Amino acid sequence: MSNLFSHARRVAGRAMAGAAALAIAGVAVPAAAQETIKVGVLHSLSGTMAISETTLKDTVLFMVDQQNAAGGVLGKKLVPVVVDPASNWPLFAEKARELLAKEKVAVVFGCWTSVSRKSVLPVFKELNGILFYPVQYEGEESERNVFYTGAAPNQQAIPAVDYLMENEGVKRWVLAGTDYVYPRTTNKILEAYLKSKGVAAEDIMINYTPFGHSDWQTIVADIKKFGSAGKKTAVVSTINGDANVPFYKELGNQGIKATDIPVVAFSVGEEELAGIDTKPLVGHLAAWNYFQSVDVPENADFIKKWRGYIKNDKRVTNDPMEATVIGFNMWVKAVEKAGTTDPDKVIPALIGVSVPNLTGGFSTMMPNHHITKPVLIGEIKDDGQFDVVEKTPGLIVAEEWSPYLEGSKDLIADWRSPMNCGNFNVKTGKCGAQ
Amino acid sequence: MISRGLPSRLGCVLLLALGLIAGALLLPRAAVAQGAAPDISTPLAQLTTDKYDDTEAALGALALSGSPAAAGIVAALADGRLMYSPATRQVLIKTPQGGLVDAATGQPVAEAPPGAKAVRVNNRIRRAIEAASGTLALVNPDPAKRLEAASAVMRARDEAALPALDAALAKEADAKVKSALTLARASILIGKAGVPDADRIAAIATVGEQGNQDALAVLRSVPADASPAVKAAAQDAIAGIERSLAIWSVGQNIWYGVSLGSVLLLAAIGLAITFGVMGVINMAHGEMVMLGAYVTFVVQELIRTYNPALFDLSLLIAIPVAFLFTGLIGVLIERTVIRFLYGRALETLLATWGISLILQQAIRTAFGPTNREVGAPGWMSGAFELGQLSITYGRLWIIVFAMFVFVALLATLRLTRIGLEMRAVTQNRRMAASMGIRTNWVDAMTFGLGSGIAGIAGVALSQIDNVSPNLGQSYIIDSFLVVVFGGVGNLWGTLVGAMSLGIANKMLEPYAGAVLGKIALLVIVILFIQKRPRGLFALKGRAIES
Amino acid sequence: MSNALTPQPVLLGKSGLVFLAVVLGAAVLVPALNLLTSPDSALHVPTYVVSLLGKYLTYALLALSVDLIWGYVGILSLGHGAFFALGGYAMGMYLMRQIGPRGVYGDPVLPDFMVFLNWKELPWFWHGFDMFPFAALMVLLAPGILALVFGWFAFRSRVTGVYLSIITQAMTFALLLAFFRNDMGFGGNNGLTDFKDILGFNIQADGTRLVLFVLSALALALGYVLCRFLVRSHFGKVLIAIRDAETRVRFTGYRAENYKVVAFVVSAMLAGIAGALYVPQVGIINPGEFSPANSIEIIVWVAVGGRGTLVGAALGAVLVNYAKTYFTSGLLAPYWLFMLGGLFVAVTLFLPKGIVGTFYDWRRARAPAPEDLAPDDLAPPDKLPEPKPAE
């Protein structure tokens, strides 16, 4: 434990040095401002979401570092501006305003939860900023100022269900999620999809739990019971970060193995597994657009450089990191295409930009401000990594408005002129909000 | 039921099982008689295509081939030791000793061809292997293995296993294994086409006697074209099981409740000292629990690095270390901050809140914000059945541990000198001081004791929850609720409070759902406090007027 | 209690006048500096600072409401964030209804989150919120009624001290869980957001922001005068007596619980108003506001500024939140929790009466202070009773 102390001391020392540096920097910065481009990083470094978001902050810093080493953008050096919205949603809005209005950043990489994105949306619209949002989410949104590099439900959930139906012969489904918008929407979409595939209502069990739910005894027992009806059963889990560890621990304890009732999760990646003993979980699944174990040179190269940067040769990579990387590269390319960082020029320039992803292909920014992605299904291995058991043959275009939802089935998004609309209603022929 | 959905797949499993039995039981002799090994080049080639369908087909063909090499190849596949080279189309077996053997020839290979990869296994392949090796193990000389195999066969319910089952039943001497085999056989008969009604009804009776979830699943698999008599028998059996399960489920819920209650007790009992006995509104209590969990992590890491053999004892080692470490931190906090705040209870809230922020961030800086892996020792994993109650070892040990901590704490306060001094100081500080008790020292020890107890709670909680900087936050509200509900300053109150909240929560959950159940519980506690404004076990006498 | 008989109780006192001057001065100066100076000028106050200051002012009003019951009645509410959030939700519901057909789905009545969860009609409790007067009434009534019911039960049963604190915490925790539920009809975790306009004015326009800022300043000033009036009145003397010796007050024939309920309800309504002003300025209200940690933070603001001083509570809220804004940016971002935590510990150890309380002490030590400057009778006792014995 002495290690901890010495570290804490070092940290405190660094903090003090930092404070001094800040005092000096406060005077010195304006002079150098001409030659640089500021890049905002809006990820929680403390509070409940720090667990997921800190890595993404490091990823952006890593990308900025790489880009500066390669000569910067438009011949200017990139300067990251890091703020900590502390997992507090109104603070996200305040910090977004600070980044755009005070720091005048050219672009912001940030947010994880939907509520944080919803909280900063009005700010980005009002101050005409650019936000790259790197996490899989429920869809049902397309905004001019936001670029979504994570998966929409059809780029993650539906292929996963298809895989279970075809390969495991699953006939009975438990949709278990944390009670918030992403699981609610995803489960609504999946329910409609499963019914369209002929699954009866009594073969679908839907269960919601609060955030951070830690006592899973009853629910896991219910799942076990539901699974003993004589039909092959699977669990589709949209359980949010913190609650996953106790959930998987309980699954392991109650002896539910992947060969009996497989669990496919949409929010469990390499980072989350790093906190669990995965031996009892071997064979449970996850659906993502990237896995660390993808065996292509681009990925190997990325992992090597990333580990070099972070100075930890055990550090894992995950899907939202890849989405951040893709978003960053797209922005760089669009700025170079537009010749300026002016959002009014960069936003249209981003559409159609294509950059290599880390799974050996290319991802393209579509007119709906979402990107094309391959979908990968992985099975958990005993070393905390995933074994990719299926990859969609082509790239999948995001359905930002789900055709399986009543309210959004007539909506499309296209940010090219002349339509220039995020919620165009094809029935009425009008842009929805007008 | 699985079979009807997936005829082809079942076929493969079936063939594989049959073939492997044949291979294991009969074919060595046959092979010797023929003098030459059968040709297995086609299935081996299929193993090199990296497609699950091909792998499954190859398994089936291998099993049927009767080649003596088949069992070895399947075993290697199960362990992830089967390699292939896409370039040379060669299949290799990695021996457990680390050597390489060519699967086709059985000859050792010096070096893997470039680009050799492991043949991939997914759930589907794993299931096929499992069912087949279950069937194979029916003739294992170890009765425990046979028992395991019988239940594996029952779960798989493979008609193909029937002949093997019959053969095994005829030879079986062990009564336990025999009844398991009978049960497995009955389970298969229920779903099998063309079984006479009488046999089927007898099978239903055999399965029905089990009275558990697995039996229900089997009984529900009676085919739709079965005769009305069979269906009626199945219905009766199902209804009977459901009735008994409903009764058992009350017991199960109580068990869950006791288990949740013991977690609450562990989380709250340290607070019962620092808050309940000393009157410090200790918002940093949750962080003490978290520190305990991180101590467990560090201890396990050290053990993994220096002496992996001790891993099963890691939790036992972590308990005293966590107690001492968090206890020391507690003493440190008491000496530097809390001692200036005695008599200003509400201000301790402010200071300890600050301390909790600092501790959280300290851990985040030192260990990173992500979860840390704390492994479960062997004796804490798994479950056993008690009647129809499914009891997991992890939870059982946590209950035992919580009770142990409670008794130990009670004994410390009641029977030891320091306990006596602690009670004396908290009851009347000045009087205690004039009796020669070093009140400062006792204060520090009391706070240290409460913190240390929180630390060992962290050791237990690391087994069921995230080990992250946020760990403490999720328990602090419940902990305060438990202490207040039970009555501040009374350890028994904390015990009863934790258990009643735990059980009430778990009894409500099946009806109201996890969220509404919790809300209902909070409202109940609020209303309860109106009735008994000093908690369950209120202190009597003049003290309450202060 | 010796000073209770001072000859001339002053309504505001010197510090109160200074406080009002600062708040009202800000209400004039900040908009003026925002509008009249050019953006390059050193004196210019950018709009984002205006919103930030507006937010601090609503926090200050919230802290004031907590100080009224904690500093003067001795009720440590660990659930005051709930009243703030309820006021905020009432305002948020009005703002949601104002969106009308401009939501992403273009539904004329239903808010977006209801459309995409397939709700067919507006739940009953959403009716009426399209009218501002009704919503404004609800801003007061929702927290007020909750406080009335909760307080009536709790104070009549003589639930006091930490027991009361913990059940207020349980109350806000229960509300947190309830509002998280999507089935409740309040937008679940995402809460209410994407507001367009308030009373016909674009909510993002600079002018609207300035008006909201001025309104917040006025609300804070009025809230202060109200609290000051309450604690200086006969009613306030009884409250203080209850704080210091509740049993004795009962024995003298006062119905202590009634006094407490009234103070609690007034305080909850003030918190509700703060919430209602907060929501249009930050643009979102979600269940996070109910979280017990938020309520504890409010207590921390009051303690930092000085419990039982009113001015201190407001000052503490602004200072702590400014510290938070400052520390969460730039190089210090990874370490800000150390600073904040350290600040709390330091304040408790070295400024046990908070900043303003310590200032009063210092003034009094320097020169025998006039009565209005050092409201001795109002300050909480230095020592609370000894901790309770074991068993």
Side-chain angles (χ1 to χ4, degrees), chain B residues 268-295:
Chain B
I269 195 161
L271 197 66
I273 302 289
T274 52
F275 170 57
V277 176
M278 298 183 81
V280 175
I281 305 183
N282 186 8
M283 300 308 288
H285 171 73
E287 277 58 44
M288 293 297 154
V289 176
M290 174 196 69
L291 285 182
Y294 272 91
V295 169

Side-chain angles (χ1 to χ4, degrees), chain B residues 404-423:
Chain B
F404 168 77
V405 170
F406 177 78
V407 171
L409 191 57
L410 206 61
T412 309
L413 285 184
R414 287 267 168 98
L415 306 178
T416 64
R417 181 170 176 87
I418 179 76
L420 183 72
E421 290 181 351
M422 281 174 190
R423 285 183 293 145

Side-chain angles (χ1 to χ4, degrees), chain A residues 137-220:
Chain A
Y137 82 120
E138 66 276 2
E140 302 298 295
E141 191 180 294
S142 176
E143 294 287 348
R144 178 174 175 271
N145 302 87
V146 184
F147 292 87
Y148 308 80
T149 54
N154 72 311
Q155 290 175 310
Q156 198 184 15
I158 289 180
V161 167
D162 281 340
Y163 170 82
L164 284 176
M165 272 198 268
E166 284 159 22
N167 280 279
E168 303 245 359
V170 174
K171 294 272 186 292
R172 213 164 144 85
W173 302 84
V174 180
L175 309 181
T178 303
D179 188 5
Y180 72 107
V181 183
Y182 170 66
R184 287 262 172 189
T185 317
T186 306
N187 287 349
K188 275 235 146 46
I189 292 171
L190 284 182
E191 200 185 346
Y193 180 73
L194 288 173
K195 283 183 177 161
S196 79
K197 290 276 177 181
V199 177
E202 75 259 18
D203 283 337
I204 302 176
M205 166 177 148
I206 301 182
N207 180 290
Y208 290 108
T209 39
F211 279 94
H213 191 65
S214 62
D215 193 286
W216 289 91
Q217 299 179 89
T218 313
I219 290 162
V220 168

Side-chain angles (χ1 to χ4, degrees), chain C residues 337-362:
Chain C
L337 278 177
F338 288 125
M339 319 238 168
L340 208 62
L343 175 75
F344 298 160
V345 175
V347 164
T348 0
L349 287 184
F350 305 118
L351 303 173
K353 290 184 172 177
I355 294 168
V356 171
T358 309
F359 173 72
Y360 284 158
D361 281 357
W362 176 72

